[in-house]
């Protein structure tokens, strides 16, 4: 029920996220809350501040980094790819640094 994804988000943004979508909304919110309780450790391992989105009105939740970017700017795609790859490495390091038990 979790994934790490990169996307072109609404509003001219790029998003790299740890997306939490467990079997039940309660399980997802419980995992999100456990991670948020370790926010300082998580963000230190990531190396930058993140956006913590509990999404209370939805089943899922996310921990994400955003930056400006548009799929229409083909000349920027190489930079976007490099950012997505770096963010992926950072996200995996942050997940490995926290206690998920």
């Amino acid at each position: 029920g979790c994934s790490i994804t990169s996307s072109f988000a609404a509003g001219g943004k790029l998003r790299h996220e740890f997306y939490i979508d467990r079997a039940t909304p309660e399980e997802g919110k419980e995992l999100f809350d456990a991670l948020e309780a370790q926010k300082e450790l998580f963000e230190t391992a990531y190396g930058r501040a993140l956006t913590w989105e509990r999404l209370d009105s939805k089943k899922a939740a996310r921990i994400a980094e955003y930056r400006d970017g548009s799929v229409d700017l083909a000349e920027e795609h190489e930079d976007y790819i490099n950012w997505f790859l770096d963010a992926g490495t950072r996200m995996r390091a942050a997940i490995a640094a926290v206690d998920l038990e």
Side-chain angles (χ1 to χ4, degrees):
C2 297
S3 60
I4 298 173
T5 61
S6 298
S7 63
F8 290 93
K13 298 287 184 189
L14 305 182
R15 176 175 55 219
H16 189 79
E17 67 184 346
F18 180 56
Y19 193 77
I20 302 166
D21 188 11
R22 304 299 288 255
T24 68
E26 295 78 21
E27 286 179 55
K29 301 312 178 202
E30 184 178 307
L31 176 56
F32 179 88
D33 292 343
L35 291 170
E36 192 173 36
Q38 300 174 78
K39 180 178 179 177
E40 184 176 339
L41 176 61
F42 197 98
E43 290 186 344
T44 297
Y46 188 82
R48 294 193 282 260
L50 294 163
T51 301
W52 294 75
E53 301 174 50
R54 195 168 193 272
L55 305 175
D56 286 327
S57 64
K58 300 185 184 216
K59 181 181 166 200
R62 77 168 53 96
I63 302 165
E65 181 178 15
Y66 292 88
R67 69 164 271 189
D68 291 337
S70 172
V71 70
D72 298 329
L73 300 175
E75 66 278 7
E76 298 295 326
H77 285 186
E78 186 174 341
D79 180 49
Y80 297 164
I81 291 167
N82 290 331
W83 183 80
F84 284 138
L85 292 171
D86 177 62
T89 299
R90 290 171 181 274
M91 190 65 74
R92 284 170 180 76
I95 293 165
V98 296
D99 180 10
L100 294 177
E101 298 287 328

